């Protein structure tokens, strides 16, 4: 290669990429007497080719980036959907019927909101043995909810019917 | 709250009140028998102790429970058996207790003015005894409705 530096390297690289025509131009420019006359035209052409190559490279890179993003978006579960699923599992229900809590023992992850619904035809209450929560007197179809933030075992009972007991285990 | 001793869902206090009320109902019958056998002093003591003790039970156990569990549901839930029974028991029981106290004061003391004293004791006493047992039955029904699970469900 005649000369050093970026200009020469680009010229060479452009010629290699551009094919034989470019190579011939490079060689004729290198060897012939018209090197100086054609140098400006050649430079412009080379720059245009360089821009074209850059444009292609950017297009290809963009295509690949979009493709990768698309594939990852399709394969990974969407964040919102995952959150919605988690919200769904963060609620649990206990039914009160015929003087019993059902289920009497409930295991839930921390952050779950447990809702007690009185399906009985008698009023009931939901009172934590450790005084963590306490409902008002619940008539038929009335509800009481409590969010369990911390892990632990939460025994509870009905203050009107102390024989009615239940337990929420928060993991 | 501790569990009851009758094996139902009732708390201990409710079980004790029920047993005491039944005992008092029987006690009044015994007191009536004492009157029939002309042991009037014992009769007076027996009936007086029961009426006064019942007043204490009403004040300490029944009124607080009624205020919390029944009163907020009147009149909206009067159609429900558990409210209707408790309300009827409370209303009729109040009348009976007042009538019992009146007989006590009229027959056993001279605190009341002569104008409002009774002279015909027997019809009054018999009526109150019948009412008392009616109230006792209503109280038992209330207990069953509030504290005994359904057998078939």
């Amino acid at each position: 290669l005649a000369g050093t530096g970026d200009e020469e390297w680009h010229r060479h690289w452009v010629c290699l990429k551009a094919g034989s025509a470019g190579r011939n131009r490079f060689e004729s420019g290198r060897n012939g007497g018209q090197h100086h006359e054609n140098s400006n035209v050649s430079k412009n052409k080379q720059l245009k080719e360089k821009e074209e190559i850059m444009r292609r490279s950017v297009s290809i890179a963009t295509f690949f980036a979009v493709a990768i993003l698309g594939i990852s978006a399709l394969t990974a579960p969407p964040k919102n959907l995952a959150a919605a699923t988690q919200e769904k599992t963060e609620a649990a229900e206990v039914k009160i019927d015929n003087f019993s809590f059902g289920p009497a023992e409930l295991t839930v992850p921390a952050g779950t909101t447990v809702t007690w619904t009185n399906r009985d035809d008698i009023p009931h209450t939901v009172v934590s043995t450790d005084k963590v929560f306490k409902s008002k007197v619940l008539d038929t179809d009335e509800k009481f909810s409590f969010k369990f933030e911390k892990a632990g075992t939460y025994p509870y009972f009905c203050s009107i019917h102390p024989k009615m007991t239940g337990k929420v285990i928060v993991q | 709250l501790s569990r009851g001793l009758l094996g139902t869902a009732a708390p201990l206090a409710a079980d004790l009140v029920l047993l005491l009320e039944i005992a008092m109902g029987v006690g009044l019958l015994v007191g009536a028998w004492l009157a029939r056998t002309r042991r009037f002093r014992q009769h007076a003591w027996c009936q007086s102790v029961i009426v006064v003790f019942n007043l204490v039970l009403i004040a300490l156990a029944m009124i607080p429970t009624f205020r919390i569990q029944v009163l907020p549901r009147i009149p909206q839930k009067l159609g429900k058996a558990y409210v209707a029974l408790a309300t009827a028991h409370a209303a009729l029981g109040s009348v009976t207790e007042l009538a019992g106290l009146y007989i006590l004061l009229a027959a056993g003391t001279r605190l009341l003015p002569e104008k409002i004293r009774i002279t015909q004791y027997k019809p009054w006493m018999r009526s109150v005894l019948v009412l008392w047992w009616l109230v006792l039955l209503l109280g038992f029904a209330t207990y069953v409705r509030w504290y005994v699970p359904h057998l078939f469900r």
Side-chain angles (χ1 to χ4, degrees), chain A residues 45-114:
Chain A
K45 275 186 182 177
Q46 283 167 5
L47 277 171
K48 276 182 183 175
E49 283 170 350
K50 184 185 165 186
E51 277 175 10
E52 183 61 29
I53 287 164
M54 286 296 286
R55 205 173 289 129
R56 279 181 192 171
S57 304
V58 169
S59 300
I60 290 164
T62 309
F63 171 77
F64 276 110
V66 169
I68 288 164
L69 281 173
I71 290 163
S72 63
L74 285 173
T75 52
K79 258 191 176 179
N80 289 343
L81 185 66
T85 312
Q86 208 170 1
E87 271 174 20
K88 247 188 177 178
T89 58
E90 280 178 359
E93 194 178 6
V94 177
K95 283 180 184 173
I96 307 169
D97 199 9
N98 201 19
F99 294 83
S100 58
F101 295 105
E105 194 174 305
L106 180 69
T107 305
V108 293
T112 302
T113 300
V114 178

Side-chain angles (χ1 to χ4, degrees), chain A residues 97-98 121 139 159 161 163, chain B residues 1 7 73 145-146 150 153:
Chain A
D97 199 9
N98 201 19
D121 51 2
D139 277 324
S159 60
H161 312 100
K163 207 175 179 180
Chain B
L1 283 169
R73 285 155 186 79
R145 192 69 200 86
W146 276 83
H150 299 281
R153 197 186 247 195

